[in-house]
């Protein structure tokens, strides 16, 4: 991001060899947030299991509805944890979504659910060699998780947060998998628990 600011030909009428501070604000904030999370030198932990690519199978399945986010963590095929989180007014404000829930927010919320799940369960995968797979029924959110190339300002916010979380870990997720919506099951129900009138 900083390279793009320094090398762009679009200067916005700035003096020669200068750039406006607003052009560099987001990259500088991102770098500041990354460095603020560190104490001393950046460290990574590697083990013999990592060398031989051994480790627990960790599977994270997420889903989102206009009212909430849901996720299921499985360790070696067994459910280990779940989460259900309401989409708050603050979430909508930060991500520039309209105050009323609607299906137009789906892409952003699906990506947000992956971010929340990775952050919630980071102790399970951040510093250990595991076989981490992320499952979702949204191709756009999975692509964002892999490539960190957002196509909107809203997804850019989430992509920067994902980059910080993955950058702080010893390993990136091994696989992302598209799962048909009809087989999302528990994650779908967890995402709808905050829907008005929803009954389990």
């Amino acid at each position: 991001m900083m390279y793009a600011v320094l090398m762009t030909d679009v200067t916005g009428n700035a003096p020669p060899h200068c750039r406006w501070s607003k052009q560099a604000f987001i990259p500088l904030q991102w770098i500041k947030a990354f460095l603020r999370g560190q104490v001393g030198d950046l460290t990574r932990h590697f083990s013999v299991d990592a060398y031989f690519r051994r480790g627990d199978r960790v599977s994270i399945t997420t889903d989102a509805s206009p009212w909430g986010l849901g996720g299921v963590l499985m360790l070696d095929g067994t459910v280990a944890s779940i989460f259900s989180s309401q989409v708050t007014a603050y979430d909508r404000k930060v991500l520039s979504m309209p105050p009323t829930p609607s299906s137009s927010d789906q892409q952003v919320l699906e990506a947000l659910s992956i971010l929340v799940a990775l952050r919630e369960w980071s102790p399970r995968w951040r510093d250990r060699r595991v076989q981490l797979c992320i499952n979702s029924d949204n191709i756009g959110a999975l692509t964002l998780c892999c490539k960190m190339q957002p196509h909107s300002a809203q997804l850019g916010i989430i992509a920067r947060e994902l980059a910080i979380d993955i950058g702080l870990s010893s390993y990136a997720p091994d696989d992302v998998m598209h799962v048909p919506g009809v087989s999302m099951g528990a994650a779908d129900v967890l995402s709808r628990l905050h829907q008005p009138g929803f009954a389990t």
Side-chain angles (χ1 to χ4, degrees):
M1 290 187 316
M2 184 61 79
Y3 180 82
V5 171
L6 296 175
M7 301 309 291
T8 183
D9 294 330
V10 181
T11 60
N13 298 324
H17 309 293
C18 296
R19 300 289 184 266
W20 297 110
S21 60
K22 186 175 182 180
Q23 289 177 281
F25 179 75
I26 289 178
L28 289 174
Q29 289 296 103
W30 185 86
I31 292 168
K32 180 180 174 183
F34 179 77
L35 294 176
R36 186 176 283 166
Q38 300 302 316
V39 178
D41 297 330
L42 292 173
T43 59
R44 295 292 182 268
H45 302 274
F46 299 98
S47 64
V48 174
D49 283 341
Y51 179 79
F52 289 108
R53 294 189 62 81
R54 294 190 299 244
D56 298 332
R57 287 182 298 115
V58 177
S59 174
I60 294 174
T61 304
T62 65
D63 202 5
S65 73
W67 301 271
L69 315 172
V72 177
L73 171 72
M74 298 187 75
L75 300 178
D76 291 323
T78 304
V79 175
S81 184
I82 62 172
F83 83 86
S84 176
S85 176
Q86 184 174 11
V87 177
T88 65
Y90 181 75
D91 296 329
R92 295 187 173 283
K93 179 181 176 184
V94 169
L95 295 171
S96 303
M97 293 186 290
T100 305
S102 75
S103 59
S104 63
D105 308 326
Q106 195 67 24
Q107 186 78 11
V108 176
L109 293 175
E110 293 280 0
L112 181 62
S113 68
I114 291 176
L115 171 63
V116 170
L118 285 174
R119 193 164 284 179
E120 173 70 19
W121 294 315
S122 62
R124 305 276 191 162
W125 63 273
R126 177 170 282 172
D127 295 324
R128 297 189 302 130
R129 174 72 247 186
V130 297
Q131 301 171 46
L132 177 60
C133 180
I134 299 172
N135 306 298
S136 175
D137 61 354
N138 188 281
I139 296 280
L142 293 172
T143 303
L144 182 71
C145 186
C146 290
K147 297 187 176 180
M148 304 293 169
Q149 294 178 339
H151 299 292
S152 71
Q154 296 166 304
L155 289 174
I157 294 169
I158 296 171
R160 287 191 293 274
E161 294 294 323
L162 277 170
I164 289 173
D165 284 11
I166 292 174
L168 290 173
S169 65
S170 297
Y171 305 96
D174 295 287
D175 299 303
V176 295
M177 185 177 298
H178 178 256
V179 179
V182 293
S183 26
M184 293 298 284
D188 179 59
V189 171
L190 290 165
S191 73
R192 295 181 181 278
L193 289 180
H194 303 282
Q195 177 178 339
F198 180 78
T200 57

